[in-house]
Amino acid sequence: MSKMNTLLVLFFGLWTAVLFSQNVSLEGTVKDTAGNALEMANIIAINTETGGMASFGVSDEKGFYRLKLTKNKTYTIRISYLGFETKKKNFTPAETDKKVLFNFILEEKSNELDGVELVYEMPVTIKGDTIVYTTDAFTTGEEKKLEDVLEKLPGVEINEDDEVEVEGKKVSKIMVEGKDFFDGDSKLAIKNIPADAVKKVEVLKNYNEVSQMRGLENDEDAIALNIRLKEGKDHFWFGEITAGGGADERYLVHPKLFYYSPKKSLNILTDFNNIGEVPFTMRDYFKFSGGFKNMMKKGRSSMRTSSEQLGFSFLNNNRAQAITSRFAALNFNYATSEKLDFSGFAIYNDSDTEMLTHTNQFYTATNITEEKTAASLLKNQLGMLKLSSNYKPNESFQLDYDVIVKTSKQTETNNTDSSVSGIIDVYKEQTPFSVNQNLNGYFTLNEKNIFSTAVQHLYDENTPIYNAISPNEFFIASDLLQLETSDLFDLTQNKKQNTNKWDAKIDYFYVLSNTSNLNFTLGNTNTKQSLDSNIFQTLDNEAVYDFTNDDLNNQASFKYNDLFLAFHYNLKFGKLTLTPGVSVHHFSIEDQQFEDTQKQDLQRVLPDFFAQYKFKNTRSLRFEYGITTDFSDINKYAAGYLLTNYNALVGGNRDIESSLSHTYSLRYFDFNMFNFTNIFASINYNKRLNAVKTYSDPTLTDRISEYINMLTPDESFSGNIRYDRRFGKFKAVGSSNLSYGKSYSLDNFGTNESVNFTQRYKAALSTRFKNAPNFELGYQVSINDYTTNTRETKYITDKPYANIEVVFLKDFIWTADYSYYNYRNTDGSTANKYSFLSSKLYYQKTDSKWEFILSGTNLLQTASMDSNAATDYLISTSRYFVQPNYYMLTLKYNL
């Protein structure tokens, strides 16, 4: 393996050196007639023979620019700047040229509109908080989906969860021609929008879709993308129909259609396959916000509601033994007039997943090591419907309404063979259903007085079922569960939980000047929950034995109310922005269990502070501090025990209190347009006081616990830095992520300290040639260090990888993706080396709508992958088995 990597690096370096020897550097300055440097001027070199753009650059703050050009070709150099006349110059570098100097002086023009139009055509423009990329300047022509385009743009990254990030912040919304594309999710957009339809990508920083509110609030973390389509992609249907098949009855059917016009749009996505491609996972479903915001964030308090505690299995890296998916989605936008428009989407997904996992678990309290093998079958059915309306009769008033309905059914059948507990058959089922409604209104009384109001309602219900069957008795060392003697011990828990939650707030903004305003917020959160649960045993004769004691049953209701008043002062001093704030709260909690009622009242003052220094639009330093308070929901207050696993019972505590968190963060961002260098760095520290943990009485691998407040504070520190830079046709990326956490738990042996230190490092070099093969070579290393009172365990994963993309014989494209994993722990007890190779061959004649694809996945026939995890009470490493290799022949027709 090491010899292969060395040969690749040597070949790549030699090939790079040859290419660089054929280049000439064109440098100089761009100034106005008064001798002032013009920053952000666009310099484009056009190949006069082909008419295509050969290179481009942007001048820095001193007006300096640099272009890399190929010798023995003739170019037209075009220099443009907003509000100035465009200059052109012909240039033919000689064979002996290495560096040529050209200085340009631009004259102001009277027709500003022509300047706006010209700048719009440039490869990159920055106007305020908006960066506009013309994608043809960064792509090579072989891209298939939007994600391929975004990965080649400076400062844009797609993380491991298929989320788009800019400046290290997640993109919250993707639009096409200004219209929402499945609002609340970026994965569906990047995986389905065809790359050849994209003309421009607009990065909208500090995004606020309400015009009256822009500049009044802190929207620093709000980033949206707007995709501009190429000419000819609007006012009629476009898309593609894909179908393929392979051995062992493998199949893929993937039609999708798009329609855009100024008044309406319609997107239809489908995906039916059994080759392991996952269009929409359960993790996607649970985190899918549908565009609903955290409208109460100014109060800095929360009560997190949860109805799922069964621990359903999730895919690891979207891989499993077998995955079959059936997916369909529709998204629409319709403007009935300039004042009123409607939008929405519907999503349906039905998937079957087979998983086989071998896990080694070390229990820190009892020093027991358990080995177990689990075979699981997961069935997920989900549906989601969202409808939205926007009414804006004038510039002073806007009214928005949204409703999203989510329903699903998940089942998991699991057979586990444990070295401690023996054979256990587990069945889990849940059917969550929720309706979330949101009403927002915005009113500008005059330039000094602006009002906004919001009301949100959530109704959520779930009826999870947990069943475990084993020839061995459960919780044998505890007196809590007195099971009846039986050949098979059959234990079941039924649970029903309902949540009704109302959020309401009114914001008043008093604008003092163009650089300052006062913001007063009056808000209220009111939540009501109910929980009923019971545990019973089914005997050999199918008779049901109910555990009637209150410790194993719940009949609880819970009320939570938060009334708060918040104040924020937003002030700008030139390049410095300051926003101090404070919120004053009155909390009341009431829980009723078996006709016994208990109440709590609490007052809190929660300060926050925001400061940002903008050196310029593309460079900033930001600091944030705040105190937040978190309350638990009914699951932790309900006194009866809940069965969360065949070896875990957890009981609530009616006397638990809220926790407090002190959070500090410092962020730095620098985007240098001159050399396309992006630097993003951040440091975060959190100290959590009075955290809700569990006090447990562990026996072997069994855990019977109850919730408590931990007096010793938890602490966490994280830092990350990302650097990427363009060198002509090359892109270098380096990143580092560090996370250190110290937490505490309590059991009958005493206080346990857990320290987790995670390190991630990555370096990569890639190319973007239009007429030569393109490569990406990279190396990643992950180090997870877990330390407890009794053991330190360190897992290391080295991952070198290489990707190649070659165009040959004009109409063929060959791609290959290779990654190698060296997984191990430092004590030598765990080790696994494996690799994955996939490849595709595309054939499409020029101007043809038909495309043929021959693909192969897992060509090295790798059987399994590894991962590790840690909690307050165990450290585990798992080996999970993946799909075998397969080959597919696919036909695609572009509409």
Side-chain angles (χ1 to χ4, degrees):
M1 178 59 209
S2 59
K3 292 182 179 179
M4 178 179 174
N5 277 342
T6 302
L7 289 174
L8 280 172
V9 172
L10 288 174
F11 169 74
F12 192 75
L14 180 62
W15 180 70
T16 301
V18 172
L19 287 173
F20 270 119
S21 68
Q22 300 173 351
N23 288 341
V24 60
S25 178
L26 178 64
E27 302 177 2
T29 59
V30 182
K31 298 182 178 181
D32 63 13
T33 54
N36 299 312
L38 296 178
E39 184 182 4
M40 304 292 294
N42 284 262
I43 302 93
I44 298 178
I46 300 174
N47 188 313
T48 55
E49 180 181 353
T50 64
M53 182 171 59
S55 182
F56 72 93
V58 178
S59 60
D60 64 13
E61 62 270 16
K62 297 180 181 180
F64 183 76
Y65 74 90
R66 180 186 292 122
L67 299 181
K68 293 293 184 180
L69 301 173
T70 305
K71 297 177 181 179
N72 300 319
K73 294 183 183 294
T74 300
Y75 303 93
T76 298
I77 310 301
R78 189 172 69 177
I79 304 90
S80 60
Y81 189 80
L82 180 64
F84 286 73
E85 297 285 352
T86 299
K87 273 205 170 183
K88 297 181 181 180
K89 182 178 181 63
N90 293 328
F91 172 58
T92 303
E95 179 65 34
T96 58
D97 286 339
K98 292 184 178 180
K99 182 169 68 174
V100 178
L101 297 176
F102 280 160
N103 296 323
F104 296 95
I105 296 177
L106 301 186
E107 298 178 354
E108 288 191 63
K109 64 189 304 184
S110 57
N111 190 344
E112 181 71 17
L113 292 178
D114 291 343
V116 173
E117 182 180 358
L118 183 60
V119 171
Y120 180 73
E121 297 173 352
M122 295 301 99
V124 183
T125 58
I126 295 181
K127 187 174 182 181
D129 291 324
T130 300
I131 304 175
V132 182
Y133 297 100
T134 300
T135 56
D136 286 345
F138 300 92
T139 56
T140 60
E142 284 76 56
E143 297 78 16
K144 298 300 179 181
K145 303 299 178 192
L146 175 61
E147 66 176 328
D148 302 323
V149 175
L150 295 179
E151 287 178 328
K152 296 182 178 180
L153 301 182
V156 181
E157 182 184 12
I158 297 177
N159 63 27
E160 295 179 352
D161 295 324
D162 292 319
E163 297 169 323
V164 184
E165 293 185 355
V166 176
E167 302 179 14
K169 308 170 193 172
K170 293 179 183 178
V171 170
S172 58
K173 181 190 290 282
I174 291 185
M175 300 174 286
V176 179
E177 294 293 337
K179 300 176 176 63
D180 291 346
F181 190 94
F182 292 96
D183 192 13
D185 178 80
S186 59
K187 178 179 176 179
L188 291 178
I190 67 174
K191 294 289 186 181
N192 289 280
I193 295 177
D196 59 6
V198 180
K199 181 180 181 181
K200 293 180 182 290
V201 175
E202 298 173 350
V203 178
L204 311 175
K205 300 190 293 181
N206 302 322
Y207 178 73
N208 195 318
E209 56 193 5
V210 182
S211 58
Q212 298 110 297
M213 306 302 296
R214 291 171 189 162
L216 296 178
E217 297 182 293
N218 179 7
D219 295 315
E220 288 294 326
D221 289 328
I223 295 182
L225 298 185
N226 184 38
I227 310 302
R228 295 293 181 184
L229 301 176
K230 292 180 178 179
E231 296 179 4
K233 296 298 183 181
D234 53 4
H235 291 91
F236 71 94
W237 291 92
F238 69 95
E240 60 190 38
I241 299 176
T242 305
D248 301 323
E249 299 182 345
R250 302 285 182 184
Y251 65 86
L252 166 68
V253 181
H254 191 187
K256 52 189 175 184
L257 297 170
F258 306 89
Y259 177 82
Y260 283 91
S261 71
K263 286 192 173 183
K264 55 188 173 184
S265 69
L266 185 64
N267 308 286
I268 301 173
L269 310 176
T270 60
D271 193 336
F272 306 89
N273 76 84
N274 65 351
I275 61 174
E277 293 187 359
V278 186
F280 201 76
T281 67
M282 284 308 301
R283 185 177 278 111
D284 296 330
Y285 171 81
F286 284 117
K287 74 180 183 181
F288 199 100
S289 67
F292 280 66
K293 302 176 182 178
N294 178 15
M295 55 178 278
M296 309 302 283
K297 64 180 180 180
K298 292 181 183 178
R300 307 193 65 83
S301 63
S302 67
M303 197 277 284
R304 301 174 184 176
T305 60
S306 174
S307 58
E308 194 278 305
Q309 290 188 319
L310 298 184
F312 279 81
S313 302
F314 285 102
L315 295 178
N316 202 329
N317 291 334
N318 287 338
R319 294 182 184 270
Q321 266 200 318
I323 306 174
T324 301
S325 297
R326 297 163 287 273
F327 172 82
L330 180 147
N331 182 82
F332 78 93
N333 291 269
Y334 178 61
T336 60
S337 66
E338 294 183 356
K339 300 178 180 179
L340 179 64
D341 61 67
F342 297 92
S343 63
F345 60 77
I347 297 174
Y348 173 77
N349 189 68
D350 184 4
S351 64
D352 303 325
T353 304
E354 297 178 26
M355 302 179 68
L356 179 62
T357 308
H358 180 77
T359 303
N360 183 294
Q361 294 187 158
F362 172 74
Y363 292 83
T364 58
T366 58
N367 289 323
I368 295 294
T369 298
E370 177 189 26
E371 292 189 8
K372 60 182 182 180
T373 300
S376 303
L377 173 62
L378 289 80
K379 292 181 176 290
N380 295 317
Q381 293 179 305
L382 63 90
M384 195 181 307
L385 174 68
K386 182 189 177 185
L387 298 174
S388 300
S389 63
N390 172 266
Y391 176 63
K392 189 170 184 178
N394 52 60
E395 291 299 320
S396 299
F397 180 73
Q398 180 173 325
L399 186 66
D400 300 330
Y401 173 75
D402 308 276
V403 58
I404 183 169
V405 181
K406 299 170 71 172
T407 182
S408 65
K409 179 179 181 180
Q410 296 104 47
T411 62
E412 178 178 348
T413 304
N414 179 292
N415 176 264
T416 298
D417 187 356
S418 165
S419 61
V420 177
S421 303
I423 296 176
I424 309 102
D425 290 320
V426 173
Y427 175 77
K428 307 174 188 178
E429 177 184 313
Q430 68 173 358
T431 54
F433 172 81
S434 67
V435 180
N436 204 346
Q437 301 179 78
N438 188 61
L439 181 67
N440 294 302
Y442 310 91
F443 176 64
T444 301
L445 181 63
N446 51 48
E447 63 180 13
K448 292 286 188 181
N449 300 278
I450 301 172
F451 299 85
S452 74
T453 183
V455 179
Q456 190 171 117
H457 176 248
L458 169 67
Y459 174 77
D460 180 273
E461 67 176 26
N462 195 7
T463 54
I465 299 172
Y466 184 90
N467 173 252
I469 301 175
S470 175
N472 302 310
E473 185 175 350
F474 301 105
F475 305 102
I476 192 170
S478 172
D479 295 331
L480 182 62
L481 266 176
Q482 297 291 330
L483 296 176
E484 294 291 309
T485 302
S486 183
D487 292 334
L488 287 176
F489 293 92
D490 187 336
L491 196 62
T492 302
Q493 175 183 267
N494 286 331
K495 179 182 173 185
K496 182 178 181 180
Q497 181 176 326
N498 290 325
T499 299
N500 261 295
K501 182 182 179 184
W502 286 92
D503 293 307
K505 71 164 185 172
I506 297 176
D507 271 299
Y508 168 63
F509 296 89
Y510 181 70
V511 181
L512 299 172
S513 66
N514 291 334
T515 58
S516 63
N517 67 74
L518 304 177
N519 174 211
F520 299 89
T521 306
L522 178 64
N524 180 244
T525 295
N526 186 275
T527 303
K528 296 180 180 180
Q529 293 184 293
S530 64
L531 186 152
D532 295 295
S533 69
N534 69 296
I535 301 175
F536 61 88
Q537 179 185 358
T538 303
L539 304 179
D540 292 336
N541 60 1
E542 297 187 359
V544 173
Y545 174 70
D546 283 304
F547 299 98
T548 57
N549 54 316
D550 290 348
D551 287 341
L552 298 175
N553 293 271
N554 280 293
Q555 189 177 29
S557 63
F558 179 76
K559 296 179 182 179
Y560 165 86
N561 191 78
D562 173 18
L563 178 65
F564 72 90
L565 177 65
F567 168 76
H568 289 85
Y569 177 41
N570 188 30
L571 178 65
K572 293 184 179 179
F573 293 101
K575 297 180 179 181
L576 179 65
T577 300
L578 299 175
T579 309
V582 65
S583 59
V584 181
H585 296 255
H586 175 79
F587 301 100
S588 61
I589 297 173
E590 176 184 316
D591 75 280
Q592 181 177 351
Q593 303 189 39
F594 297 106
E595 300 182 355
D596 178 35
T597 301
Q598 188 167 304
K599 297 182 179 181
Q600 299 181 40
D601 286 286
L602 176 68
Q603 291 77 37
R604 279 224 165 111
V605 178
L606 305 174
D608 61 274
F609 179 75
F610 171 88
Q612 178 173 263
Y613 187 82
K614 277 197 172 184
F615 303 92
K616 54 182 180 178
N617 279 341
T618 57
R619 186 188 303 159
S620 64
L621 181 65
R622 185 175 105 184
F623 171 76
E624 287 184 90
Y625 166 74
I627 300 178
T628 59
T629 183
D630 296 303
F631 288 82
S632 303
D633 76 343
I634 194 171
N635 286 280
K636 295 182 180 179
Y637 280 93
Y641 283 88
L642 293 173
L643 187 66
T644 59
N645 201 3
Y646 62 83
N647 62 351
L649 281 164
V650 59
N653 181 351
R654 303 179 70 179
D655 297 320
I656 58 172
E657 301 172 350
S658 62
S659 62
L660 277 178
S661 295
H662 295 258
T663 303
Y664 304 80
S665 70
L666 184 67
R667 290 171 174 259
Y668 174 77
F669 172 70
D670 185 12
F671 179 23
N672 189 325
M673 291 286 292
F674 169 68
N675 53 23
F676 292 105
T677 299
N678 273 273
I679 301 175
F680 167 75
S682 71
I683 299 174
N684 304 280
Y685 172 77
N686 179 273
K687 186 173 185 178
R688 191 174 180 86
L689 308 173
N690 213 33
V692 177
K693 297 296 188 71
T694 57
Y695 173 83
S696 61
D697 182 12
T699 306
L700 296 179
T701 62
D702 291 342
R703 284 180 60 83
I704 298 178
S705 55
E706 65 178 33
Y707 292 107
I708 61 169
N709 287 105
M710 197 72 195
L711 298 180
T712 310
D714 291 347
E715 294 181 280
S716 65
F717 169 86
S718 64
N720 64 82
I721 184 170
R722 174 183 166 85
Y723 172 91
D724 70 72
R725 181 172 178 175
R726 309 285 168 136
F727 302 89
K729 300 295 184 181
F730 294 83
K731 176 184 177 182
V733 177
S735 65
S736 174
N737 295 271
L738 305 177
S739 177
Y740 176 89
K742 182 186 292 186
S743 63
Y744 298 87
S745 60
L746 193 65
D747 59 35
N748 56 353
F749 297 106
T751 300
N752 301 306
E753 180 185 85
S754 299
V755 177
N756 296 344
F757 183 33
T758 300
Q759 305 169 67
R760 303 279 188 272
Y761 304 99
K762 176 182 177 181
L765 182 67
S766 59
T767 64
R768 55 178 187 88
F769 294 102
K770 289 185 180 290
N771 299 307
N774 284 294
F775 299 88
E776 180 183 15
L777 292 177
Y779 177 80
Q780 296 181 23
V781 60
S782 301
I783 305 172
N784 296 331
D785 192 346
Y786 308 121
T787 304
T788 68
N789 290 355
T790 57
R791 173 182 288 196
E792 179 181 2
T793 306
K794 182 184 290 187
Y795 295 95
I796 302 173
T797 305
D798 295 298
K799 179 191 173 184
Y801 63 93
N803 306 319
I804 187 172
E805 184 179 76
V806 181
V807 179
F808 63 98
L809 298 179
K810 186 180 178 181
D811 300 322
F812 289 87
I813 301 175
W814 173 62
T815 66
D817 301 318
Y818 174 80
S819 55
Y820 172 83
Y821 297 80
N822 181 10
Y823 177 83
R824 64 210 183 272
N825 65 355
T826 51
D827 64 12
S829 60
T830 300
N832 190 17
K833 297 180 180 180
Y834 52 92
S835 54
F836 288 97
L837 174 64
S838 62
S839 182
K840 289 185 178 182
L841 180 64
Y842 301 87
Y843 172 71
Q844 184 176 19
K845 295 196 69 174
T846 305
D847 299 326
S848 173
K849 294 185 176 182
W850 294 93
E851 183 178 23
F852 299 87
I853 308 166
L854 179 63
S855 60
T857 300
N858 194 8
L859 299 179
L860 302 178
Q861 302 189 47
T862 299
S864 62
M865 294 186 70
D866 292 79
S867 67
N868 56 81
T871 68
D872 285 340
Y873 61 91
L874 67 81
I875 301 172
S876 66
T877 178
S878 298
R879 179 163 298 171
Y880 55 99
F881 295 82
V882 300
Q883 286 190 134
N885 66 322
Y886 61 83
Y887 300 89
M888 293 281 292
L889 178 62
T890 304
L891 178 64
K892 185 174 77 172
Y893 180 76
N894 295 311
L895 300 173

